[in-house]
Amino acid sequence: MSGKSLSRLGTLRRRLLAWYRSSARPLPWRKTHNPYRILVSEVMLQQTQVNRVLIHYRRFLKRFPTLRSLSRAGTADVLRAWRGMGYNNRAVRLRNLAKEVCATMGGRLPGTVGALRSLPGIGRYTAGAVACFAFGLPVAMVDTNIQRVLNRLFPAPQKGSDIWRTAEDILPSKNAYSWNQALMELGALICTASSPRCSDCPVSALCPSAFAVRSTFRKPAKAEPGKDGIPDRIYRGRIIEVLRHLDGGRSIHVRQLGKRIKRNFTAGDLPWLRTLLSGLVRDGLVFLRARSGNEYVSFAE
Ligand code: SF4
């Protein structure tokens, strides 16, 4: 990096960190370094808006305050505690990870990126987030918000330049925690995807993209697969709801299940229902059992 670039980077860091100190939202996972709590927040935030996570994060941790308590939970209990979050397979993956850590690592999440990435369901970003936010390691990370902010602050000369490399090159050796959080917060609050607020941005004077990013409107969402105008996603949620309310983890006949989740369910809907169930089986959420020529559905254990 040239002297000029280094000086720009130094100013950018100072301004962004000062803005973060004064403007960061007091999110509960920013008040802890407990690796399990950080991991739960990261998994919840993967596909869910912060406001919704705020509602469910404390409830989930109250029910499962430690990794060990989660590792002992059955699928039905985990999904009850996850209720309202959607994408239920994340909850089951998290429980499976807890089981693995308790079985092979004495119930303590490891403190390095390499060891974290060896765990089931943990990718590069999540490993970096736990290593940095829980263990204080100076690790670069790239999530959707950071990627967008870096692409605007450091436009790549060529398409396909490695955004992870950029994140690593600009990571300060001290204060990596606040730096990563600040980049994410800027992306969430100011440098948003559809309408960046450059006039409120603490680093606009240093940003080559300032006032040049056009506000964009979200593309209309693609039509989701579904039945009778209702997306399959909703039906999958209904299946989980029905199973949640079965006493003692009992099973339910496939046809009865169909009638509980869809009005006017007929035999013609069975292939469609089986496709939905196959997806849930693949995600480790439900179990299909054949008995005397009939099929029954229950939560997977
Ligand atoms: Fe994003 Fe605008 Fe700030 Fe650049 S000046 S980082 S485009 S909000």
Side-chain angles (χ1 to χ4, degrees):
M1 232 181 247
S2 70
K4 205 172 155 194
S5 305
L6 278 174
S7 151
R8 171 184 172 246
L9 181 56
T11 311
L12 192 147
R13 281 177 180 155
R14 277 194 301 281
R15 289 187 187 175
L16 188 54
L17 287 169
W19 171 81
Y20 176 71
R21 280 194 295 275
S22 63
S23 311
R25 292 167 293 176
L27 303 173
W29 45 91
R30 287 183 177 155
K31 295 177 185 164
T32 180
H33 293 287
N34 178 303
Y36 168 64
R37 288 172 177 249
I38 300 282
L39 177 65
V40 170
S41 71
E42 289 299 334
V43 172
M44 285 188 161
L45 288 163
Q46 276 166 14
Q47 282 150 307
T48 307
Q49 299 279 335
V50 167
N51 287 346
R52 184 180 279 240
V53 173
L54 281 172
I55 298 168
H56 299 283
Y57 176 71
R58 285 195 185 91
R59 194 185 68 188
F60 188 86
L61 289 175
K62 202 168 174 196
R63 177 69 187 80
F64 301 115
T66 61
L67 194 81
R68 201 165 284 284
S69 61
L70 179 61
S71 75
R72 293 185 185 125
T75 305
D77 279 345
V78 175
L79 292 181
R80 269 186 210 111
W82 197 260
R83 188 176 190 180
M85 285 288 297
Y87 298 99
N88 292 298
N89 52 347
R90 288 180 295 171
V92 174
R93 280 209 309 265
L94 192 57
R95 191 274 316 270
N96 293 348
L97 182 150
K99 272 187 175 177
E100 167 102 10
V101 171
C102 288
T104 63
M105 298 175 171
R108 297 169 76 89
L109 280 164
T112 65
V113 172
L116 284 162
R117 284 195 76 182
S118 72
L119 293 169
I122 296 226
R124 187 173 181 179
Y125 165 77
T126 307
V130 175
C132 180
F133 301 150
F135 295 101
L137 297 185
V139 179
M141 65 192 71
V142 178
D143 72 345
T144 324
N145 279 326
I146 293 183
Q147 178 167 16
R148 183 173 59 257
V149 169
L150 294 187
N151 277 333
R152 289 171 179 172
L153 282 170
F154 302 92
Q158 289 155 7
K159 250 189 150 182
S161 289
D162 186 355
I163 195 77
W164 279 89
R165 179 82 192 273
T166 304
E168 280 160 6
D169 286 349
I170 63 168
L171 182 77
S173 53
K174 288 182 189 161
N175 248 346
Y177 179 107
S178 298
W179 174 250
N180 284 321
Q181 291 279 3
L183 285 173
M184 279 190 233
E185 197 73 340
L186 190 74
L189 301 182
I190 304 277
C191 192
T192 59
S194 57
S195 46
R197 296 193 286 123
C198 301
S199 47
D200 297 326
C201 179
V203 292
S204 60
L206 303 155
C207 177
S209 313
F211 304 99
V213 181
R214 287 188 184 198
S215 292
T216 53
F217 294 97
R218 282 177 192 274
K219 285 188 209 154
K222 275 197 213 154
E224 287 185 61
K227 200 110 178 123
D228 295 351
I230 298 173
D232 285 348
R233 168 174 58 84
I234 302 291
Y235 288 114
R236 279 194 292 271
R238 288 180 184 173
I239 292 172
I240 298 298
E241 265 321 282
V242 170
L243 296 181
R244 264 189 195 119
H245 288 97
L246 289 183
D247 289 339
R250 282 185 308 130
S251 56
I252 183 169
H253 193 283
V254 167
R255 209 178 274 260
Q256 276 179 349
L257 176 66
K259 288 180 182 161
R260 300 268 294 269
I261 66 159
K262 180 179 178 294
R263 284 181 65 175
N264 306 323
F265 184 85
T266 66
D269 293 321
L270 277 170
W272 160 79
L273 178 57
R274 286 206 180 90
T275 306
L276 290 189
L277 289 170
S278 302
L280 293 172
V281 169
R282 270 199 306 278
D283 287 342
L285 293 168
V286 308
F287 184 65
L288 266 174
R289 182 184 294 115
R291 206 162 57 211
S292 313
N294 291 304
E295 273 182 304
Y296 293 86
V297 187
S298 63
F299 272 135
E301 275 313 313

